[in-house]
Amino acid sequence: MNKEEIVSKNFIEKIIDTDLEEGKYEKIATRFPPEPNGYLHIGHAKSILLNYGLAKKYNGTFNLRFDDTNPTKEKTEFVESIIADVEWLGAKYDGEVKFASNYFQDMYEAAVLLIKKGKAYVDDLSAEQIREYRGTLTEPGKESPYRSRTIEENLDLFERMKNGEFPDGSKVLRAKIDMASSNINMRDPVIYRVARMTHHNTGDQWCIYPMYDFAHPIEDAIEGITHSICTLEFEDHRPLYDWVVHEVGYEHPPKQIEFAKLYLTNVITGKRYIKRLVDEGIVDGWDDPRLVTIAALRRRGFTPQSIRDFMDLVGVTKSNSSNDYAMLEYCIRNDLKPKAPRVMAVLDPIKLIIDNYPEGEVEYLDALNNMENPELGHHQIAFEKELWIEREDFMEEPPKKYFRLFPGNEVRLMNAYFVKCTGFEKDENGNVTAVHCTYDPETKSGTGFTGRKVKGTIHWVPASHCKKVTVRLYENLVDEEKGVYNDDGSLNLNPNSLTVVDQCYIEPFIEQYHAGDSFQFVRNGYFCIDTKDSTDYDPVFNRIVSLKSSFKLPKK
């Protein structure tokens, strides 16, 4: 007897299933509608993948549309970065990129329709007065003295607003709904304002601009969006969304559904804070690898698959909660483990001299490109008399259970031979500068030597057959123990969030790779070649993540 496959569906999919069963929509249409006022971050990735995934699952359409109704904060740079992010994540949008600004004429005509229906009026109150008249959560608002203007007067004033006859901020168009509503968003919200701003898409064509809450439902309706998926902070705005599409008279109005935002521990996602970090030069632009903008994650070395896997683990819920950043790190480790070539790199070098190795001789040893995936093949690495090893792999007076190099101890050099420490050199400050040893030629890796065993294996790089590179080691931008924010609201920055190490040695094997490629540095973590500061001759490596984590998948 075949067991029936059990498919787990989130609450949005269940709503869509019901809508399709009831015949409300013939075909599903979703969209990702970012405002081009900054770079996208990891939270936006959840929305992108959710909307695209729903369209793909139900054989529908997915639009990329910019909600560009506020020219003061919008830039073409942000438009271009967002398109790049969406495409990098693998979310294939249908048709051309769309802009809310392409519908400005439709929005203007919708506003005129509302005026003609007696559902909108021109108000002369100042922004401060409008706030005062709005009331509070416990007290109703009071009507503007201009609320009773006639339809003819409102039509005339609104057209004159469009024609630029009034100063910025002197008049607004408000929806006429209910100043006593328990939902403050329904207390005659402003739907148009006078603002002489050059728009990135429409230039100086308009001097009035629609407000987001008015524009967004119209954009969705024009594009035939069936399910307008947004985050929970828009839940209280849903009655206004529904009011607009109903009053304007769209035959097949879209349905707004809210889901929980993605919150990550110990990272900064707010655009306002990220912009401040960028503007004050605290970080190296919106794509600084310490940030969690999508551009920063891409530059750091995260892969689209790792982010998709992370979103699958997070899931889609109706309740806000925080997710551990370690979960995202788990996903990139899991993705790179079978894919990334493994190379030996020494980040804090001291010289290892093999006294009994023939002077001037070089031999080439085989090394697997990936221990998890032998299909990736192998490469050769030069072995010679002088090598670089990590400083922490030698101790003059080691503690118990230290199995690496110390006087009299024997270890295996990875992919090579057993070596025994015979001595060391120090400089005038007492720092170890070189370690001396002898090697046993009978212990070569791959020969099946079983004469004796050693407890320690260390990695190395040949001193004259290596490449000197710069490595960047990243920690959280904010102090994990003290929290993201100080009591005064300022960011609690970690002074050790970036360490630049410019005396690192690595196998020349990496020279065949390019910017953006990722590697596993033996014992040091996963790294990628920085796409911004690297050249073909001088690669800069960003540490993506360390090799190990305490994070474990929850039991199902």
Side-chain angles (χ1 to χ4, degrees), residues 18 181 402 497 550:
T18 300
S181 173
Y402 181 85
S497 62
S550 57

Side-chain angles (χ1 to χ4, degrees), residues 76-253:
T76 301
E77 173 195 352
F78 298 144
V79 170
E80 293 173 348
S81 73
I82 289 170
I83 293 173
D85 289 344
V86 172
E87 292 179 347
W88 178 75
L89 282 172
K92 296 179 175 62
Y93 49 87
D94 290 271
E96 296 181 349
V97 173
K98 296 171 173 57
F99 294 88
S101 53
N102 290 341
Y103 311 134
F104 279 168
Q105 183 63 37
D106 300 271
M107 295 173 192
Y108 175 76
E109 292 172 3
V112 170
L113 174 63
L114 292 180
I115 294 173
K116 290 180 177 179
K117 291 177 65 175
K119 298 289 186 177
Y121 63 96
V122 175
D123 196 358
D124 292 2
L125 292 179
S126 67
E128 184 178 348
Q129 289 172 320
I130 290 174
R131 281 193 295 270
E132 291 175 359
Y133 276 54
R134 184 178 293 163
T136 67
L137 292 173
T138 56
E139 297 179 356
K142 60 181 181 178
E143 295 183 355
S144 165
Y146 305 99
R147 198 176 194 264
S148 59
R149 278 174 166 158
T150 66
I151 290 174
E152 291 72 20
E153 187 178 5
N154 283 318
L155 286 172
D156 175 65
L157 288 171
F158 188 51
E159 183 176 4
R160 291 168 64 191
M161 285 170 61
K162 177 178 73 74
N163 294 337
E165 295 185 25
F166 303 116
D168 289 4
S170 60
K171 294 183 188 301
V172 295
L173 183 70
R174 297 177 68 178
K176 186 185 287 188
I177 307 179
D178 182 6
M179 289 303 295
S181 173
S182 59
N183 186 333
I184 290 180
N185 295 296
M186 299 296 281
R187 295 180 186 176
D188 291 10
V190 174
I191 59 176
Y192 258 97
R193 79 276 198 198
V194 179
R196 288 167 176 78
M197 299 179 287
T198 299
H199 192 281
H200 76 96
N201 188 31
T202 60
D204 297 318
Q205 181 180 349
W206 295 88
C207 65
I208 56 171
Y209 289 97
M211 302 301 288
Y212 177 88
D213 279 348
F214 177 67
H216 191 77
I218 292 176
E219 299 157 29
D220 284 345
I222 289 173
E223 293 179 6
I225 301 304
T226 58
H227 296 83
S228 179
I229 315 298
C230 58
T231 46
L232 281 177
E233 71 263 33
F234 291 100
E235 189 171 25
D236 289 341
H237 297 248
R238 193 198 317 151
L240 178 55
Y241 183 102
D242 293 340
W243 183 90
V244 170
V245 293
H246 172 74
E247 294 296 341
V248 176
Y250 291 105
E251 187 176 354
H252 300 288

Side-chain angles (χ1 to χ4, degrees), residues 451-470:
R452 61 187 182 279
K453 294 183 178 180
V454 291
K455 292 184 177 181
T457 298
I458 65 174
H459 67 283
W460 51 276
V461 174
S464 62
H465 292 77
C466 64
K467 189 172 183 65
K468 185 178 177 183
V469 299
T470 298

Side-chain angles (χ1 to χ4, degrees), residues 23 32 37 78 132 247 267 300 343 363 511 523 530 536:
F32 174 62
N37 58 5
F78 298 144
E132 291 175 359
E247 294 296 341
V267 298
R300 174 115 172 217
V343 298
E363 62 178 308
E511 291 179 341
R523 290 174 49 208
D530 186 79
D536 289 340

Side-chain angles (χ1 to χ4, degrees), residues 460-481:
W460 51 276
V461 174
S464 62
H465 292 77
C466 64
K467 189 172 183 65
K468 185 178 177 183
V469 299
T470 298
V471 169
R472 294 168 174 162
L473 306 176
Y474 296 104
E475 295 180 9
N476 282 1
L477 187 58
V478 293
D479 193 308
E480 293 184 62
E481 293 184 0

